[in-house]
Each structure stands twice: as structure tokens, then as C-alpha cells.
Amino acid sequence: RRESAVRFGADFVFDPHDEKSTTTVEKSDVVIIAAGNPAACQTGFQLVKPGGIIILFAENPPGTTLSFDPNQFYHKEVTMLGAYSSSPVELKLAFEMLVSGKVQLSNLVTHKFPLNRIPEAVSTMRLAQDSLKIVIVPKDEGG
């Protein structure tokens, strides 16, 4: 998944459990946390520039709490946003980009499953190893 993120334009990706990988990263204006775990959230705060924005774009396990010094938000003037979905304006813009060909999504679909293989599709999604986006199709397309 990290390799795919780079291929699709991410400036830098890393494993939040690998402390060495974050020490060589420049601070960023915007940090998008797309992994649902507390370590990623903590690391995201360390990597944002003063005045920067942290976007939390992943659900953490229920009951997750983060420990931080609120003075760090105050002194760094960091903004943290949660993003669950898109607004109608963003959906319209995304649709226009798709229709115009500015954005190609075919490379994001890594697996297709027919309806009769939904349990396998869900299992593949949960493993999150080599899958990005999984599509359920009405019937087997022969591959």
C-alpha cells in the first residue's frame, strides 16, 4: 500500500511503527493520516510544520485515546481535521475530474469478486496486503 501511495503521488510514506523512518523526513505543511492506529496519529503530529494541518482520514479502534500536550497545538498553531467523507462540492469536483480524464482510477482497483465470492472479498479487504480497492461485480468476469 505504501508503494502504491508513492506511485500515485505521495511525497513520502512510512510505517508508523518504524521510528527510524520518521527521523529523516522534513516537516510537512499537510500530514494525512490514513492508517487507523494511535502510532500513526502521534507520528503525524511530530511531522507537521508549525501552522500546518493534520487530516485524520482513518478510523481508529473504538475507545482509542491519544496522549498529547495541548500546549503543542497552541505553540505550533496546528489544525487537526477529521475527514470521513466528501461534501457535495467535493463529489462534483471529483466527478468532473473523472469524466475529464484528469484522474484515472483503474489502477486503484486491484481485485474484482463476483457476488458469490463476497466472503473472500471481505477477507482480502481485511488482510489489506496487496489490495487497494476491491470491486464486487454481479457475476464472474473470467478473472
Side-chain angles (χ1 to χ4, degrees):
R1 288 178 171 246
R2 288 186 290 275
E3 290 170 7
S4 295
V6 170
R7 195 170 62 245
F8 288 113
D11 293 327
F12 186 78
V13 296
F14 59 91
D15 179 345
H17 298 290
D18 179 4
E19 292 178 22
K20 293 179 186 175
S21 68
T22 60
T23 58
T24 60
V25 180
E26 283 189 41
K27 303 271 184 190
S28 298
D29 292 318
V30 178
V31 174
I32 301 172
I33 303 169
N37 68 59
C41 295
Q42 295 290 123
T43 302
F45 186 77
Q46 293 168 11
L47 296 178
V48 70
K49 283 183 180 178
I53 299 171
I54 300 170
I55 301 173
L56 185 57
F57 195 67
E59 183 176 5
N60 281 264
T64 297
T65 59
L66 297 176
S67 208
F68 62 89
D69 179 352
N71 290 313
Q72 290 294 322
F73 276 94
Y74 170 77
H75 290 293
K76 285 179 79 170
E77 296 182 327
V78 169
T79 300
M80 187 170 212
L81 302 171
Y84 175 73
S85 189
S86 305
S87 71
V89 171
E90 292 164 331
L91 286 172
K92 183 179 184 283
L93 176 62
F95 181 73
E96 290 170 357
M97 292 173 72
L98 288 170
V99 170
S100 71
K102 286 184 180 179
V103 175
Q104 298 290 322
L105 296 182
S106 59
N107 292 333
L108 287 175
V109 176
T110 55
H111 296 76
K112 290 183 180 182
F113 291 92
L115 285 170
N116 65 347
R117 292 176 53 204
I118 286 180
E120 184 181 350
V122 171
S123 177
T124 301
M125 177 202 60
R126 284 188 175 148
L127 288 173
Q129 293 175 339
D130 63 345
S131 64
L132 292 178
K133 296 298 176 188
I134 295 172
V135 175
I136 305 296
V137 294
K139 59 182 179 178
D140 199 339
E141 295 180 351

